[in-house]
Structure formats: structure tokens, C-alpha cells
Amino acid sequence: MKNEKVNLEIGDWVKGESKHGELVHGYIETVNPSQGTVKVTVVASDNVNTIGKTIELLNKVERLTPPVFKTEEEVKSMIDLALLIKDKEWFMELTEILKSLRINSSQNPLTKTVHSLKGKKILDQESKNERG
């Protein structure tokens, strides 16, 4: 379902302003094209009391570009959020991204070198400790 006015869809990540002037970030739960509104589940806001709630927004809504995850920690944070809001589909998508990051990380020659060096450093330290 698309909002004809701003071309938004359910599941889109958006930022906007509530009717009370609060700045919010969240994802769209429902779109009401006849009213020109969207209901957004708020994950970040300058009003902490709004976080976790679903609110209706009018015209002041802008689609955010999907995040590109560069580290496992970024994905883990989003997994925590998916669990918090009980979004199984998103959780499954994020766990696949996490697996992909781990595979790519283990296949990256630089990462292998760093892990090897860390391992060598640990072994060298253990040898020193054994010798006294």
C-alpha cells in the first residue's frame, strides 16, 4: 500500500515531526492515503515518552535510506531492537546479515592476518609466562 502524496509504504523507515513538534524516527505500520497520514512506531525521539509508541504523522514525513551495516555490533543493536518490538521477519533478516558479515570477515585476508597476529601475540605472551 502506498501513500499517494509522499509515496511511502508499510515498513519504510522514516523521520518526521509529530503534531506536537516532536522529532521522531521509526518505521511505518500503516498508511492512510485518504487522510494523507501514516502511523509510525517510534524508535527514537527527542521526547523519550514517545519511544516505543505508534503515532500518526501528517505531512512532515521523510523516507530514510536503508541502513548499511558495516560491523557486527551495528547489526546486533538492530537485532536487539527487532526482539524488543517482536518483529520476527526483521529479526530473521538481520540474523542473515550478521551471518553474512561474519563469513565475509573470516574470508577477508586482512582480518585473517589480524587474527593470526593476535593469536601469535597471545602465544608469545604465554611462552614468556611459562619461562618465568
Side-chain angles (χ1 to χ4, degrees), residues 17-19 32 35 37-40 54-58:
E17 189 176 320
S18 74
K19 61 184 175 184
N32 186 340
Q35 299 290 320
T37 62
V38 292
K39 286 193 179 177
V40 174
T54 301
I55 64 170
E56 193 166 45
L57 300 177
L58 294 167

Side-chain angles (χ1 to χ4, degrees), residues 5-128:
K5 189 170 186 178
V6 288
N7 199 29
L8 296 171
E9 298 179 8
I10 293 171
D12 282 349
W13 284 89
V14 295
K15 66 179 179 178
E17 189 176 320
S18 74
K19 61 184 175 184
H20 303 294
E22 304 160 332
L23 300 175
V24 298
H25 284 155
Y27 59 92
I28 296 177
E29 286 283 341
T30 61
V31 178
N32 186 340
S34 63
Q35 299 290 320
T37 62
V38 292
K39 286 193 179 177
V40 174
T41 297
V42 179
V43 297
S45 175
D46 54 357
N47 178 355
V48 295
N49 296 323
T50 306
I51 298 172
K53 295 182 180 174
T54 301
I55 64 170
E56 193 166 45
L57 300 177
L58 294 167
N59 299 324
K60 299 179 180 179
V61 180
E62 180 182 332
R63 180 184 292 126
L64 297 171
T65 56
V68 176
F69 302 110
K70 296 179 183 171
T71 68
E72 287 184 25
E73 291 306 313
E74 291 172 338
V75 179
K76 287 177 183 178
S77 293
M78 291 296 106
I79 288 173
D80 288 343
L81 180 58
L83 289 169
L84 181 68
I85 62 175
K86 299 178 175 130
D87 188 329
K88 184 178 178 179
E89 185 179 328
W90 190 33
F91 171 81
M92 298 306 289
E93 288 176 27
L94 290 166
T95 55
E96 288 302 314
I97 291 170
L98 183 59
K99 287 179 193 175
S100 175
L101 277 174
R102 287 180 174 165
I103 289 169
N104 290 338
S105 173
S106 68
Q107 292 175 350
N108 182 333
L110 179 59
T111 304
K112 284 183 179 178
T113 302
V114 170
H115 287 302
S116 298
L117 292 173
K118 283 183 181 177
K120 183 178 181 339
K121 187 174 182 179
I122 290 169
L123 290 174
D124 289 347
Q125 186 63 38
E126 288 174 356
S127 295
K128 285 180 185 177

